[in-house]
Amino acid sequence: GNSVTQMEGPVTLSEEAFLTINCTYTATGYPSLFWYVQYPGEGLQLLLKATKADDKGSNKGFEATYRKETTSFHLEKGSVQVSDSAVYFCALTNTGGFKTIFGAGTRLFVKA
Amino acid sequence: SQTIHQWPATLVQPVGSPLSLECTVEGTSNPNLYWYRQAAGRGLQLLFYSVGIGQISSEVPQNLSASRPQDRQFILSSKKLLLSDSGFYLCAWGLGTFGRADTQYFGPGTRLTVL
């Protein structure tokens, strides 16, 4: 079946540090991959997505590349800010249904 | 543009009382609709989803139910709340393309505390 595994948090970084949050997936065929972000007390919102192998999604300085050979979609940002403190969810969708499979979420704390 | 509304924003209910949470979407037609629950510090648990009026798929057997009386309205209900029903309830909508779900758009959530 389809599943998503992401690194456990929390991740604590200082402002301007480099961020990587690992995400790997299990799926048949060619899933679409997503990163969502949840700020405190709010719903989730799409951060970026990629729909085919080698695509790079990017938004607000965040990037992730769809790597089919390693079944990964790691989230990166070159210089984090305090305002990036949130929970980040990796997710996938696949043919055969209209559900989104979410990872467990990774909480990021950025210190000034 | 599309918007999604959820209410109430917060709710405190006694054990054994009924529940009704409402979600409405504006600006799109025939969306797929979803109810999730998020326990404190935990991930998302899909409770129900619907691909059309009157069509409800249940993911978790429990004392909750869902209904979709109109195309863009999704209601989560319970006849008798349990302590374990406490959590952050999120409604979401999305469109399907090529037989799969696309981006999901989430509402602001309802924080439910059962005492």
Side-chain angles (χ1 to χ4, degrees):
Chain A
N2 301 311
S3 66
V4 175
T5 302
Q6 58 183 108
M7 61 188 290
E8 288 191 27
V11 174
T12 303
L13 296 173
S14 297
E15 208 166 23
E16 299 184 2
F18 185 85
L19 168 70
T20 300
I21 300 178
N22 290 336
C23 172
T24 57
Y25 68 89
T26 301
T28 56
Y30 301 89
S32 297
L33 301 174
F34 304 79
W35 277 101
Y36 289 84
V37 59
Q38 183 179 31
Y39 298 103
E42 299 182 6
L44 282 70
Q45 56 185 274
L46 178 70
L47 182 58
L48 53 85
K49 72 177 185 181
T51 57
K52 60 183 187 295
D54 300 325
D55 268 2
K56 177 185 284 187
S58 61
N59 186 25
K60 300 180 181 179
F62 291 89
E63 294 183 340
T65 301
Y66 188 142
R67 300 290 188 196
K68 188 163 178 64
E69 63 276 11
T70 55
T71 62
S72 65
F73 193 52
H74 304 321
L75 182 68
E76 297 181 336
K77 187 176 185 182
S79 176
V80 293
Q81 306 300 312
V82 171
S83 57
D84 294 326
S85 298
V87 181
Y88 293 81
F89 291 90
C90 186
L92 72 82
T93 64
N94 210 345
T95 51
F98 293 101
K99 295 188 289 186
T100 297
I101 309 302
F102 287 91
T106 301
R107 185 174 296 275
L108 170 66
F109 293 105
V110 180
K111 303 180 296 183
Chain B
S1 64
Q2 301 88 6
T3 55
I4 178 169
H5 304 279
Q6 272 188 257
W7 64 92
T10 60
L11 191 59
V12 180
Q13 292 285 95
V15 170
S17 63
L19 173 73
S20 181
L21 302 181
E22 189 163 343
C23 171
T24 59
V25 179
E26 297 177 356
T28 187
S29 296
N30 197 29
N32 298 325
L33 297 172
Y34 305 83
W35 278 112
Y36 294 89
R37 179 169 60 201
Q38 190 175 28
R42 306 289 294 276
L44 293 171
Q45 179 185 32
L46 178 63
L47 301 175
F48 302 94
Y49 69 98
S50 171
V51 299
I53 296 175
Q55 300 179 56
I56 307 294
S57 296
S58 174
E59 291 295 298
V60 184
Q62 54 197 329
N63 68 321
L64 298 173
S65 62
S67 63
R68 184 171 179 173
Q70 300 181 45
D71 181 42
R72 291 169 290 178
Q73 183 185 29
F74 205 24
I75 297 172
L76 182 70
S77 303
S78 174
K79 293 181 179 178
K80 289 186 177 182
L81 283 168
L82 307 173
L83 287 174
S84 57
D85 291 325
S86 293
F88 192 47
Y89 288 80
L90 289 163
C91 181
W93 74 271
L95 298 175
T97 55
F98 305 110
R100 71 175 68 186
D102 202 339
T103 302
Q104 293 204 347
Y105 301 92
F106 286 79
T110 295
R111 184 152 316 272
L112 171 66
T113 303
V114 182
L115 301 175

